[in-house]
Amino acid sequence: MNTETASERIPVTVLTGFLGSGKTTLLNRILTENHGKRIAVIENEFGEVGVDNELIVNAEEEIFEMNNGCICCTVRGDLIRILGNLMKRRDRFDHIMIETTGLADPAPVAQTFFVDDEMRDRMALDGIVTLVDTKHIWQHIDDSDEAKEQVAFADVILLNKIDLVPPGEVDKLEARIREMNPAAKIYRTQDASIGMDKILGLGGFNLDRALQVDPMFLEPEYPFEWGGVYQMTAGRHEFVMQDGPDPEMSLVVIPVASADYQGLEGAQLGAVLSFSGEKKSVRPGETIETGYDLHVLTLEGAGEKRFPIAVPADGAYALFTEHHPEEFAAALHGSGALEAAVSKAYKPDHEHDEEVSSVGLSVPGDLNERKLNAWLRDLLMNKGPDIFRMKGVLSIAGETRRFVFQGVHMLFDGRPDREWGAEPRHNSFIFIGRNLDRAALTEGFMRCLVR
Amino acid sequence: MPRTLAAPPVPVPALEMSGEAQMGDHIIAAEWSPDGRMVATATVSGPVGIWDSGGKLVRELPGHKHGTFAVSWNANGELLATGGQDGVARVWDAATGEPRQELDAGASWVEHVAFSPLGDFLVTAAGRQLKLWKAGGELVHAYGAHPSTISSVAWQPGAFYFASAAYGQLATFGVDKPEPVKSFAWKGSILAVAWSPDGNYMATGNQDASVHFWYRKSGRDLEMTGYPAKIRELSWDTGSRYLATGGSPVVTIWDCGGKGPAGTRPIQLQAHEVYLSAVAYQSNGGLLASGCRAGWVYVWNQRKPDRPLRGARLDGAITQLCWAPADEHLAATTERGMLRIFRRTSQA
């Protein structure tokens, strides 16, 4: 791990977007706007933009595979060469802007800043800005991998040319894009008109920004909608349900340490794993066992249904249900109706039909650095090609500073930034990619926590 | 990963300084004149200086608008060729500083110019374009575009052949043919090529942290791995037996004697604490100079690998190290514009 802080490195912004999305217009704005920055622009498609105080270099995309056993690891050789030469100049640039070709996969450009030791030491990926042609994106978004990747990789997405489509269309598009990449900041623009502070100086990953987008996005999504902890005595209890909206419902009853929030939260992960495990079908009158077995209650036919629960010993038990019990006017009965000591409604798991999606985690506590490294190494070796981006702010045990990192496919770059100070130590983490396994990612990450 | 020795860096006697100059900007290229009396240096902002061995400025050339990349003396020392960011290579009269020729190299960044050891041929490489000229400005061959940007060119010592390297291939050319003599395809990015003085091998330093030996006759290649980073620093000893390489803080030397370097362990010299940025063998004496990103220069006798013979620290990362042809002086340049010339002593 590098001890250099991010701020000493020159920020690099990567500009992606299909042909006609407005990249050249945006570049012209960046070059002509009075922002007081010296910007070097590496262009791919030839455009006449000659402006004082800025340097424009035309690059021929030279992508090559790193011969390092990393199957998805491609980099841009031309950038290593050109930027290597630019970095020798005494009149350093404040910012570097790289335009990619319309159909480009953003990965090789981004990976260049992780793979080459000189690039990594001297420059930092500040952000990936993706321009979307609001009118024509629908032709690509369903069947073009490049379009999906450009959206999934982005830190900032500009929905450009909004003047050419009705507002309802833009809303629909934004919702669609938000599903693929909830961490990106989305702006609607006309003629690529946008404040420079919105696209430059993003500083890699800004948690606050991500939270502004969706305050719940770092909340893990759970396969259950409700959980509650009950103090129960040994013996027979009953889960009583009235008619509800679904013909079946899954639940699990897990013994926990205490009938409070700590007890509930301590059981969440186990419950997640249960819900992705084997199912045990239960008809009314059949007994629900406590433990990690997932029970699927069959609710066919109208009328009240009662499911006995065999409680083996006095203690606290957490009940996690697929749907909110209110939907079935369901209740737990012992000698009388039981109230949950504490309960919580969970953010429901989206039905993802998108193959490109994200997994976010937000967990208090400290991480064991060795375990984290081992887990990430393993994860990236096996799933690297499907993980487009990952970003996070982590609390590493024994480190007084926040550990900020980001990655692209199999590569990542992390380093400490500021002191935690009075701020509560916390881990925030997001993966964006294809076919991500939420439960596995969650479990793997949780295992890295210091117990 | 090359084996790292546990020994800490030790104090060594100082290299003896013969002269010093400051160019005010990153020095990207340096080369001694064939008679060893002058060294030409170029900065990334453009100016080119010709200095005597005491560090006194003999002549200044404007070099190239937007920056100079490369310098090369012709065999008799009358001409100096330069290439830069203005799309041309220039041939200067070294005695007067007058530009004699301006050659269109075919793309805006002329990163490589190299005079032949014999016959005053000049190779220029700009982007994917490779051209061969006579010193008088006559275009001998404009070779077809390379598959990607040319990253290095090198003449075979004492011969009419040269090699070019790029992503995807290494190729050799003879001055009498408009096509490559041989082309070695390799799916990787070659950053630097160095031809052994006997002409038998071409060594390449590569982006994927490997060094390759290409056997010129058979076309076979041998891959040496274990480096932590890309390798651009290569130098052959005059006997074509040893190749010194960078790519780490340790000077790694492959021995091509006997059955080597296949399956052998390299000689490793450790004193630098950060990555090397230059290595250079003497032409005759067999000593090796190494320079690193922290500005240290050491001179080694590899038969006494425990510690360098002499050392010195300059301001800024070392960018070039070159011995004068008869090894009487060593020039070192830095990214902060410093040129320092050391004198050969009895020990170094």
Side-chain angles (χ1 to χ4, degrees):
Chain A
M1 276 177 193
N2 205 319
T3 49
E4 237 177 301
T5 57
S7 59
E8 289 156 9
R9 302 184 291 168
I10 297 182
V12 178
T13 298
V14 178
L15 190 56
T16 74
F18 270 34
L19 194 65
S21 59
K23 280 181 297 184
T24 307
T25 313
L26 180 63
L27 269 182
N28 277 316
R29 280 186 188 281
I30 292 166
L31 290 172
T32 51
E33 204 148 295
N34 186 17
H35 44 61
K37 284 190 166 111
R38 275 178 57 79
I39 300 181
V41 177
I42 316 293
E43 283 199 326
N44 257 299
E45 287 146 318
F46 192 78
E48 279 299 324
V49 267
V51 181
D52 291 345
N53 207 35
E54 266 96 16
L55 182 84
I56 296 160
V57 183
N58 282 295
E60 271 186 84
E61 200 173 64
E62 292 176 0
I63 297 178
F64 64 85
E65 277 170 43
M66 285 299 289
N67 198 2
N68 60 1
C70 172
I71 52 165
C72 54
C73 192
T74 49
V75 300
R76 286 272 301 270
D78 55 316
L79 292 179
I80 296 177
R81 194 174 49 84
I82 290 167
L83 294 175
N85 278 325
L86 289 185
M87 299 309 283
K88 289 178 182 145
R89 297 163 68 107
R90 190 182 30 173
D91 47 347
R92 288 285 191 87
F93 292 92
D94 302 315
H95 206 105
I96 292 166
M97 192 96 202
I98 298 168
E99 180 197 9
T100 66
T101 57
L103 278 169
D105 168 4
V109 187
Q111 286 173 167
T112 302
F113 299 94
F114 296 86
V115 161
D116 185 88
D117 61 306
E118 279 179 304
M119 299 292 108
R120 203 172 49 214
D121 288 349
R122 296 177 157 193
M123 284 164 266
L125 187 61
D126 180 58
I128 297 175
V129 176
T130 296
L131 273 137
V132 171
D133 176 345
T134 310
K135 189 167 170 67
H136 294 109
I137 184 71
W138 294 107
Q139 298 166 7
H140 312 297
I141 201 159
D142 287 318
D143 45 17
S144 154
D145 283 345
E146 290 87 358
K148 284 183 192 162
E149 279 163 12
Q150 288 180 2
V151 166
F153 269 84
D155 297 291
V156 172
I157 295 170
L158 304 186
L159 302 181
N160 196 31
K161 305 191 172 178
I162 49 163
D163 48 319
L164 302 183
V165 291
E169 285 273 299
V170 186
D171 292 341
K172 212 168 93 193
L173 179 63
E174 181 166 343
R176 178 71 188 274
I177 283 176
R178 172 72 56 222
E179 246 180 70
M180 295 163 73
N181 183 345
K185 187 89 182 160
I186 301 178
Y187 298 103
R188 299 179 180 199
T189 60
Q190 188 174 330
D191 298 327
S193 175
I194 181 93
M196 290 301 118
D197 57 326
K198 304 283 197 298
I199 54 172
L200 303 183
L202 305 174
F205 178 56
N206 184 334
L207 179 64
D208 303 336
R209 191 181 74 231
L211 289 174
Q212 275 168 19
V213 175
D214 174 4
M216 275 184 79
F217 108 84
L218 281 175
E219 279 270 300
E221 288 171 14
Y222 291 93
F224 38 81
E225 287 183 7
W226 187 87
V229 189
Y230 299 85
Q231 191 66 46
M232 297 201 258
T233 50
R236 187 187 148 105
H237 290 63
E238 261 186 334
F239 191 62
V240 183
M241 301 178 76
Q242 309 304 323
D243 290 341
D246 286 289
E248 57 174 42
M249 183 176 82
S250 303
L251 63 71
V252 64
V253 185
I254 300 172
V256 295
S258 52
D260 52 18
Y261 275 111
Q262 243 179 329
L264 183 66
E265 279 167 13
Q268 271 166 206
L269 183 62
V272 168
L273 297 177
S274 291
F275 269 77
S276 63
E278 260 182 62
K279 291 171 180 168
K280 194 169 160 185
S281 199
V282 183
R283 273 195 287 267
E286 291 180 346
T287 304
I288 297 169
E289 307 289 340
T290 63
Y292 288 88
D293 285 346
L294 183 70
H295 296 77
V296 182
L297 313 185
T298 313
L299 307 172
E300 274 147 19
E304 185 180 271
K305 291 157 196 88
R306 305 179 83 89
F307 296 89
I309 301 175
V311 176
D314 292 1
Y317 293 85
L319 173 69
F320 293 92
T321 58
E322 184 185 356
H323 304 292
H324 203 290
E326 280 176 8
E327 292 180 48
F328 298 86
L332 191 65
H333 292 266
S335 46
L338 282 181
E339 284 288 326
V342 294
S343 68
K344 186 173 171 182
Y346 291 90
K347 180 180 177 180
D349 202 349
H350 290 141
E351 283 299 317
H352 288 289
D353 50 359
E354 276 304 331
E355 57 167 332
V356 174
S357 65
S358 68
V359 172
L361 288 168
S362 176
V363 187
D366 290 349
L367 292 162
N368 177 311
E369 188 174 344
R370 196 181 47 79
K371 285 186 189 169
L372 178 71
N373 279 331
W375 174 61
L376 277 176
R377 197 168 48 239
D378 201 49
L379 176 71
L380 299 183
M381 282 296 279
N382 294 313
K383 298 276 187 259
D386 281 341
I387 295 172
F388 297 159
R389 303 251 356 231
M390 51 176 188
K391 322 179 201 186
V393 179
L394 305 178
S395 164
I396 307 282
E399 169 62 78
T400 60
R401 291 170 292 175
R402 304 176 348 145
F403 192 81
V404 179
F405 87 96
Q406 59 164 326
V408 175
H409 286 317
M410 288 182 179
L411 306 166
F412 78 97
D413 174 36
R415 52 195 78 211
D417 72 337
R418 59 181 164 78
E419 298 282 331
W420 281 104
E423 198 183 329
R425 296 179 69 115
H426 196 86
N427 302 285
S428 310
F429 208 129
I430 185 167
F431 294 93
I432 299 169
R434 188 180 281 133
N435 308 321
L436 300 178
D437 182 341
R438 175 176 301 280
L441 288 171
T442 307
E443 188 198 349
F445 185 79
M446 300 296 273
R447 281 185 200 276
C448 301
L449 286 170
V450 175
R451 299 278 169 193
Chain B
M1 179 127 193
R3 187 170 58 103
T4 44
L5 305 172
V10 283
V12 293
L15 279 160
E16 201 170 295
M17 191 166 98
S18 152
E20 191 176 63
Q22 177 50 252
M23 293 191 80
D25 206 344
H26 185 118
I27 299 178
I28 192 169
E31 192 175 293
W32 285 94
S33 61
D35 63 5
R37 289 170 56 199
M38 290 176 290
V39 62
T41 59
T43 61
V44 292
S45 46
V48 173
I50 299 178
W51 318 82
D52 69 16
S53 59
K56 193 168 140 281
L57 185 66
V58 178
R59 198 150 289 113
E60 192 177 17
L61 312 174
H64 296 260
K65 194 182 171 199
H66 308 309
T68 299
F69 281 121
V71 297
S72 178
W73 292 88
N74 78 331
N76 69 11
E78 286 174 7
L79 303 172
L80 183 72
T82 59
Q85 295 188 17
D86 53 3
V88 297
R90 290 199 177 84
V91 179
W92 312 80
D93 184 319
T96 64
E98 291 302 312
R100 287 254 194 100
Q101 308 294 337
E102 193 172 281
L103 312 172
D104 177 358
S108 61
W109 282 17
V110 187
E111 289 187 80
H112 311 280
V113 295
F115 265 119
S116 58
L118 304 169
D120 277 349
F121 288 96
L122 177 70
V123 175
T124 63
R128 306 194 297 165
Q129 306 301 322
L130 183 68
K131 294 184 180 184
L132 183 69
W133 313 80
K134 286 294 283 182
E138 175 203 339
L139 180 65
V140 183
H141 301 300
Y143 302 97
H146 275 49
S148 68
T149 301
I150 297 158
S151 54
S152 184
V153 296
W155 284 91
Q156 178 186 351
F160 288 101
Y161 294 96
F162 67 95
S164 75
Y167 163 59
Q169 76 166 38
L170 174 68
T172 59
F173 300 84
V175 298
D176 56 346
K177 282 211 179 94
E179 278 107 31
V181 177
K182 243 180 203 166
S183 205
F184 307 82
W186 181 62
K187 211 177 166 196
S189 182
I190 302 174
L191 304 176
V193 55
W195 213 318
S196 64
D198 65 9
N200 291 338
Y201 305 98
M202 283 167 285
T204 62
N206 309 313
Q207 177 76 39
D208 67 356
S210 72
V211 166
H212 279 227
F213 289 91
W214 303 84
Y215 292 79
R216 183 207 201 160
K217 290 218 176 76
S218 66
R220 204 155 64 85
D221 79 297
L222 192 60
E223 183 183 63
M224 318 309 280
T225 58
Y227 295 88
K230 64 183 170 188
I231 297 111
R232 279 173 304 198
E233 307 78 21
L234 302 171
S235 180
W236 284 96
D237 86 306
T238 193
S240 298
R241 177 170 174 185
Y242 298 107
L243 177 77
T245 62
S248 86
V250 181
V251 184
T252 303
I253 302 173
W254 300 100
D255 183 352
C256 298
K259 286 181 189 163
T264 62
R265 223 187 171 122
I267 300 163
Q268 301 205 290
L269 309 177
Q270 186 172 315
H272 295 282
E273 292 177 315
V274 302
Y275 277 52
L276 298 178
S277 47
V279 290
Y281 268 111
Q282 288 183 331
S283 305
N284 306 296
L287 299 184
L288 174 71
S290 62
C292 70
R293 294 186 193 168
W296 280 97
V297 175
Y298 290 117
V299 174
W300 305 81
N301 176 348
Q302 70 191 53
R303 278 186 285 278
K304 297 174 185 165
D306 293 348
R307 68 181 66 181
L309 299 175
R310 287 177 178 272
R313 190 173 195 182
L314 278 65
D315 183 25
I318 303 299
T319 54
Q320 298 286 322
L321 279 177
C322 47
W323 291 94
D327 304 328
E328 63 276 30
H329 291 104
L330 171 68
T333 62
T334 76
E335 63 175 359
R336 299 215 180 113
M338 179 184 272
L339 162 68
R340 193 179 283 177
I341 301 169
F342 301 104
R343 185 178 295 125
R344 180 177 55 188
T345 60
S346 54
Q347 283 174 310

